[in-house]
Amino acid sequence: MSPKPVCIRIPDETRRAIAETGRRTGRGFSAVANEMLTEAVRMRRIPGIVFADSPGGREAIVAGTGLGVFEVVAVYRAVAGSWERLGEAFDWLSEVQLRAALAYAEAYPEEIEERLAGEARWEPEETWRQYPFTRPR
């Protein structure tokens, strides 16, 4: 579905914040505003999920943890969907936090699958090729 132009009134303070983010990131006003709106909709839809910058770009994380949703999903799959084992693996997270991560993955599967596929491609040789300074001596 392609974006459709709309006309909205944006308060000055919000407009300045969007423009400043665009300047810092080298992105246009529209791209930044769309990203922010999309994230706001998703956070409202799945409470307990927030977004943060990561080396790979913006990422859905479990609020208050820095833990990516994709990481929870990867472990959930590794323990064959066992809720008990997932809780043991992330014993510092609450049930609400774990459920938020899985709910987000269910609501936005393409995003999570893309991230998991990207993570699966990372192997030591690939990492050392891109970041030679990390190779052990």
Side-chain angles (χ1 to χ4, degrees), residues 54-57 119 122-137:
S54 74
E119 292 295 317
W122 282 100
E123 295 180 3
E125 287 300 324
E126 173 66 16
T127 302
W128 295 331
R129 185 183 67 70
Q130 289 192 17
Y131 308 102
F133 57 87
T134 65
R135 182 183 292 275
R137 295 190 184 254

Side-chain angles (χ1 to χ4, degrees), residues 59-62 65-74 90 101 112 115:
E59 177 181 349
I61 64 170
V62 179
T65 69
L67 188 65
V69 168
F70 81 93
E71 295 173 280
V72 174
V73 172
F90 294 108
I112 300 306
R115 180 61 190 265

Side-chain angles (χ1 to χ4, degrees), residues 51-107:
F51 290 83
D53 291 321
S54 74
R58 299 288 291 172
E59 177 181 349
I61 64 170
V62 179
T65 69
L67 188 65
V69 168
F70 81 93
E71 295 173 280
V72 174
V73 172
V75 171
Y76 187 64
R77 290 178 181 175
V79 298
S82 167
W83 181 255
E84 183 178 308
R85 290 178 62 200
L86 181 68
E88 290 169 0
F90 294 108
D91 60 355
W92 66 94
L93 297 182
S94 70
E95 179 178 342
V96 170
Q97 288 173 307
L98 292 172
R99 289 196 184 282
L102 296 179
Y104 185 89
E106 186 176 326

Side-chain angles (χ1 to χ4, degrees), residues 2-10 29-30 33-34 37:
S2 56
K4 296 190 176 12
V6 296
C7 180
I8 62 172
R9 287 180 170 79
I10 300 174
F29 185 93
S30 183
N34 277 302
L37 286 170

